[in-house]
Every structure is written in structure tokens, then in C-alpha cells.
Amino acid sequence: MPLLKDKDKKYLEEEFKKNLKNPVKLYVFTTDDECQYCEQTVEIAKELEETSDLIEAEQLDISSEKAKRWGIDKAPTTVVTAKGNENPRIKYIGIPMGYEFSSLVEDIRRVSRNDPELDPSVKEKLDEVDKPVKIQIFVTPTCPYCPKAVGTAHKFAIANSNITGEMIEAIEFPAWADEWGVSSVPHIVINGDVQFVGAYPDENFVDYVLEAYRKMEKAPS
């Protein structure tokens, strides 16, 4: 049974026709073990693939060589990347449904255009980051503020190849959420060192990224 309504598919077809520029690849990593939302996550990617010739979807197991190379060990995980220039910096760990479906659509558009849509002052701050920084955003499908936080983290990942943005669906991975004391969402964890709650504007969010980066710089080697 299709997950997208016909009217929604038609809307996406029109939007992607206007806004996509270069091919985008959606990798969906699944497992044959217990995985409540793997099937639906694959269906989402396939239905998105049907909306544009510039979108390609591929399903892989988390035991695959690519999953191991990319450090992916949880299912379902969706990676959004430019086709032919693969870098797993934009991830959805858990099903990208509810409000997070809009984040996925926006990521496809931005990746296709290779445009993070950031203010130059924010981009200039991000340029300072020259070592790996991981931004994890714990969300729930019914959180209306979460897509903004996810979108910001993923824009930063598009802007700087040292940054990875991971959406993590807290209800699907409760032990992981408990590990970081997640009680409200969006709950952001940067490099396992800096945490905050809320959907902050880009110009404020970037300061937390730099805080985590500078802590890493000061850490003894």
C-alpha cells in the first residue's frame, strides 16, 4: 500500500522538477532481524524515487560492505548523498515520517543543488571546522520543531565535509535516547560533548558546533 497520497506525489513531482539540479542517491540500510520500520522506510525511498528521474534509491543490509565502511549499524538508516560523490554525512536513523518527511524532502533539494542555503556569516564560522564533528538530533515524528533542528544540522553537513548530521528517532531507539537523558525534543548532542534542547536559528546553532569543535581542539592528544 503506498504511503504517499496521489496529490502529495504530484506535488513532489512538480517541486522536484523545478528545484532539483543534479542526481541524488538515497541509501536505505535495513536488516532481516527485528526491525519495525525497515519495510516502510524502504517504501518511502522507493516512492520518492518515482517522483523524479534525478532520485535513485537503493536498499542495502547493515551487514554490507558499504554499511561497515560508513559505520552504519542501526536499521533503518537512510543516507542522502549526491550520486557519484558519495559521502554519508546526512543520515536518518529511524523512519523519516511525520514532520521529518519534510526534512528529507528539503535535504534532497539542497543536496541536488549542493546549496546549504546558509547566511555567509554562518558559513564563515563553519569553515573553521577542519576535524570531524558529529551532530546528533533526537526527534519524534510528532515534534513540529524537530525538522528545523534536523535541517540546520544537515545544512551544516552540506556546507562542510567534516560535519555529519544524524537524525535519530528517539522512540525507535529508547536506550540510545536514555543514554543522553533525552526528555524533550529536539535534543541535540554534538561530539558527545555539547548538548542543548530546542530548534535554534542557524546563527545560534553554529556557536554550539564551534564550542564542541574547540573543546576537541583543547583535549589532550
Side-chain angles (χ1 to χ4, degrees), residues 54-179:
L54 291 175
I55 300 173
E56 181 182 337
E58 181 177 351
Q59 179 183 3
L60 293 169
D61 195 271
I62 58 171
S63 64
S64 65
E65 185 59 38
K66 190 180 288 286
K68 292 174 183 176
R69 190 166 70 248
W70 285 357
I72 293 170
D73 58 4
K74 292 180 175 61
T77 291
T78 302
V79 172
V80 185
T81 185
K83 186 178 179 181
N85 186 22
E86 298 175 356
N87 196 318
R89 302 197 307 272
I90 295 177
K91 299 177 183 177
Y92 290 80
I93 304 174
I95 187 169
M97 276 299 280
Y99 285 105
E100 289 311 323
F101 181 74
S102 63
S103 300
L104 179 58
V105 169
E106 285 297 290
D107 281 338
I108 291 171
R109 181 176 60 81
R110 291 186 181 118
V111 168
S112 177
R113 300 177 72 84
N114 192 28
D115 183 1
E117 300 174 347
L118 291 171
D119 186 273
S121 63
V122 174
K123 179 67 169 62
E124 185 177 357
K125 286 185 175 182
L126 285 175
D127 287 344
E128 182 179 335
V129 177
D130 60 1
K131 291 181 174 62
V133 169
K134 181 187 292 185
I135 307 171
Q136 297 173 305
I137 313 96
F138 288 88
V139 307
T140 60
T142 56
C143 165
Y145 308 105
C146 291
K148 179 174 174 56
V150 172
T152 298
H154 287 172
K155 287 192 292 183
F156 289 178
I158 294 170
N160 187 316
S161 61
N162 293 300
I163 297 174
T164 298
E166 297 182 345
M167 181 217 82
I168 302 166
E169 213 287 277
I171 296 173
E172 285 181 62
F173 300 97
W176 201 357
D178 288 345
E179 180 184 345

Side-chain angles (χ1 to χ4, degrees), residues 25-45:
K25 188 76 177 276
L26 303 178
Y27 287 99
V28 184
F29 293 88
T30 62
T31 178
D32 290 333
D33 297 333
E34 290 185 14
C35 180
Q36 185 176 0
Y37 295 109
C38 281
E39 186 176 336
Q40 292 99 316
T41 303
V42 171
E43 182 63 25
I44 289 169

